Amino acid sequence: MEMTVEGQKAYLLACQLPSGAFRLSPKSDQINPYFANLALISLVQLREWEPVRRYVDWYLHHVGEHGYINDFRLKGTEEVDTGKADSEDSYHATLFSLLAAWIRASKETEWLTYRGKELAALMQAVGRLQQKDGLTWAKRSYRVKYLMDNCEVAKGFEDAAFVFSMLGDEDAEQEAARRAAACRKGIRSMYCPRRKSFAVYDNRYPGWRKWYPDVTSQAFPIMYGSAPPDEAASLYAKITEAFPHFETFQTGDLYPWMSMGEAARLMGDWRRVETMLSTAVDLYIYGPRIPYWLIHESGRFMELCLASGRGGGS
């Protein structure tokens, strides 16, 4: 897979625009900061520092006056603010996870010390979405508490605490840690022992024949450490029973959901991980579903390759 990792690194780098932003694919006109945050963790692992730094600078420069960032669309070479985002909680949360990965890998914080106030403002923006039960609304205008978002937010707050600790901002570090603990507690409240599953959002529990968001959501507590080992094993058993061939993308969804491979990896299901990687090469990277292969899928593919020992460094 080493050649494929190198090819996917080139694919991902081809998505970066002169501004520093990443489009969803090399020919896409869409810029989605959330998917970019997820994708670029693979570039951190491959020690591609400069593209990530340029992207983070772009991200911070494009936060709006209300403290959140939107999706953008290319109109020629102009990046036009769409005025919309899929969520406001997960966008900033996953940026903190990207920054934490960067600092842990590079041991460098100097360029971020000048952005400390901006980063604290991002944490406050997510904090404004957090409710008394510790859970966040997806957006100010969309007051739904999604399991997937909150798993990302809990980790994002934890990663923010690490980032602020490295920047020497003790107050922000402590606030982020408190918010992370509250969010973790809120996620626990979404678990129903009788159903042996988490609410997909609010009080709606999964229908096990529906891939997204029902079944996919149940992998997020596994991926983000929000389920203890016995619950994680039970959830994964229910996922694989409901969709026994998800590793060959027999889900009824044209998108690959490579993140499900991360859940398989964490559960020690290397057979499914290996099958998912090889099938992704044939069906998506060099196959008919290439239009559905976007940057976050490419990034997760590389992460899984590296974790399985099938990828090389840069």
Side-chain angles (χ1 to χ4, degrees):
M1 283 280 177
E2 184 168 350
M3 286 180 63
T4 314
V5 169
E6 286 298 309
Q8 285 302 291
K9 182 177 77 171
Y11 175 89
L12 203 52
L13 291 173
C15 296
Q16 189 164 34
L17 297 164
S19 65
F22 277 76
R23 57 173 85 188
L24 282 180
S25 66
K27 295 182 179 179
S28 174
D29 65 351
Q30 297 180 62
I31 299 167
N32 182 303
Y34 166 72
F35 286 139
N37 294 342
L38 298 177
L40 298 198
I41 288 176
S42 63
L43 291 185
V44 169
Q45 293 183 357
L46 293 169
R47 306 180 72 81
E48 290 286 344
W49 311 126
E50 194 56 30
V52 179
R53 176 158 35 191
R54 288 176 53 223
Y55 166 74
V56 173
D57 284 341
W58 175 90
Y59 187 106
L60 294 176
H61 184 66
H62 285 79
V63 173
E65 61 180 342
H66 297 296
Y68 304 96
I69 191 168
N70 292 323
D71 297 334
F72 287 76
R73 188 175 292 275
L74 281 173
K75 200 170 184 179
T77 58
E78 183 185 2
E79 297 169 8
V80 179
D81 190 332
T82 65
K84 297 182 291 185
D86 285 337
S87 72
E88 291 172 341
D89 54 356
S90 286
Y91 279 46
H92 289 348
T94 51
L95 181 77
F96 277 112
S97 293
L98 173 61
L99 290 174
W102 161 281
I103 293 172
R104 289 187 173 104
S106 71
K107 313 300 182 189
E108 184 189 343
T109 58
E110 185 178 353
W111 69 286
L112 285 173
T113 57
Y114 304 104
R115 317 303 291 264
K117 288 185 178 179
E118 293 171 83
L119 295 176
L122 298 192
M123 179 183 66
Q124 294 292 336
V126 182
R128 289 194 294 274
L129 298 168
Q130 190 171 28
Q131 304 307 299
K132 289 182 179 179
D133 59 3
L135 299 171
T136 55
W137 290 328
K139 294 194 284 190
R140 293 162 294 163
S141 61
Y142 196 63
R143 298 182 174 188
V144 177
K145 299 168 183 174
Y146 283 107
L147 173 64
M148 291 190 282
D149 289 42
N150 276 278
C151 288
E152 292 169 333
V153 167
K155 185 175 189 301
F157 277 138
E158 289 168 354
D159 286 333
F162 169 74
V163 169
F164 290 124
S165 75
M166 297 301 290
L167 297 180
D169 188 338
E170 189 174 337
D171 290 342
E173 175 192 356
Q174 291 178 354
E175 180 180 348
R178 286 195 303 270
R179 290 190 179 281
C183 191
R184 290 274 183 207
K185 186 175 180 181
I187 292 169
R188 293 306 310 155
S189 73
M190 298 179 79
Y191 185 74
C192 176
R194 180 176 61 83
R195 298 174 185 267
K196 294 186 176 180
S197 59
F198 286 82
V200 181
Y201 58 86
D202 299 336
N203 291 311
R204 182 184 175 281
Y205 287 85
W208 288 95
R209 293 182 179 181
K210 188 176 182 182
W211 177 245
Y212 172 77
D214 295 44
V215 173
T216 53
S217 70
Q218 302 305 296
F220 275 59
I222 300 172
M223 292 163 53
Y224 289 95
S226 300
D230 57 336
E231 282 179 19
S234 174
L235 283 169
Y236 190 67
K238 289 172 79 71
I239 290 168
T240 53
E241 180 182 0
F243 287 88
H245 305 295
F246 76 76
E247 71 277 17
T248 54
F249 310 106
Q250 297 179 51
T251 62
D253 191 331
L254 289 172
Y255 289 99
W257 280 89
M258 294 301 297
S259 57
M260 299 299 286
E262 175 65 5
R265 182 188 75 80
L266 290 168
M267 296 308 300
D269 191 350
W270 287 101
R271 180 190 67 80
R272 278 194 169 88
V273 172
E274 295 287 345
T275 301
M276 199 172 203
L277 289 172
S278 58
T279 308
V281 172
D282 295 337
L283 191 59
Y284 287 92
I285 295 175
Y286 299 119
R289 289 193 188 176
I290 184 66
Y292 300 93
W293 189 251
L294 305 178
I295 53 174
H296 58 296
E297 309 287 9
S298 175
R300 185 69 76 179
F301 174 90
M302 285 188 278
E303 288 183 66
L304 289 171
C305 283
L306 295 169
S308 67
R310 294 173 68 172
S314 58

